[in-house]
Amino acid sequence: MAEEKKKIRRQGADSVVRAINVLVIISWVVFLVAFIMVSISGPGGGRSYGAVRPGGSSLYGWAIALMAVQFILCVTGLMVQSSRMKRKSDRYSRSLIIFTALSVAGIIFFIFTSSG
């Protein structure tokens, strides 16, 4: 009973895996910046409830732009990762999938709330 052992040719992270990890980190940073911008530009508490703070509408524009950038980054990362899916053990990055969905939902939400 001679069992053949498969050679593991992938030794550590290669440039594709590193690039995907960098895209995930950049997506986290863009998400946090967009979240902070939306939090700052949101309505204030107390008597001024419902009023947008000074510069708030321009911050919404920047937040939409950041979400578009995040969407492009995530889709690029998923495309690069899909070219690598050759083994059963290869998986898509959950962060990239979640951030793609969040950026699409955020863009749609801001487009419909700003037009009304």
Side-chain angles (χ1 to χ4, degrees):
M1 291 207 215
E3 292 184 25
E4 292 183 33
K5 290 192 175 188
K6 292 184 179 182
K7 277 190 172 182
I8 299 174
R9 295 184 186 176
R10 290 185 186 170
Q11 299 294 328
D14 62 349
S15 59
V16 174
V17 174
R18 284 189 212 118
I20 292 169
N21 290 337
V22 168
L23 285 173
V24 168
I25 291 169
I26 292 171
S27 292
W28 271 104
V29 170
V30 169
F31 172 75
L32 290 174
V33 170
F35 181 76
I36 290 169
M37 292 179 94
V38 170
S39 297
I40 290 172
S41 64
R47 284 200 231 160
S48 63
Y49 181 74
V52 176
R53 294 184 183 145
S57 59
S58 65
L59 289 179
Y60 274 145
W62 281 105
I64 291 172
L66 284 173
M67 283 186 240
V69 167
Q70 182 176 12
F71 176 75
I72 292 168
L73 286 171
C74 291
V75 168
T76 303
L78 289 172
M79 286 176 20
V80 168
Q81 205 165 15
S82 69
S83 69
R84 185 178 168 80
M85 302 297 277
K86 293 182 170 75
R87 297 183 178 183
K88 289 182 181 178
S89 62
D90 291 337
R91 301 280 185 249
Y92 284 105
S93 171
R94 282 183 256 145
S95 293
L96 289 178
I97 294 170
I98 291 170
F99 284 140
T100 302
L102 284 175
S103 61
V104 168
I107 290 170
I108 290 171
F109 174 76
F110 282 119
I111 287 174
F112 283 124
T113 58
S114 67
S115 65

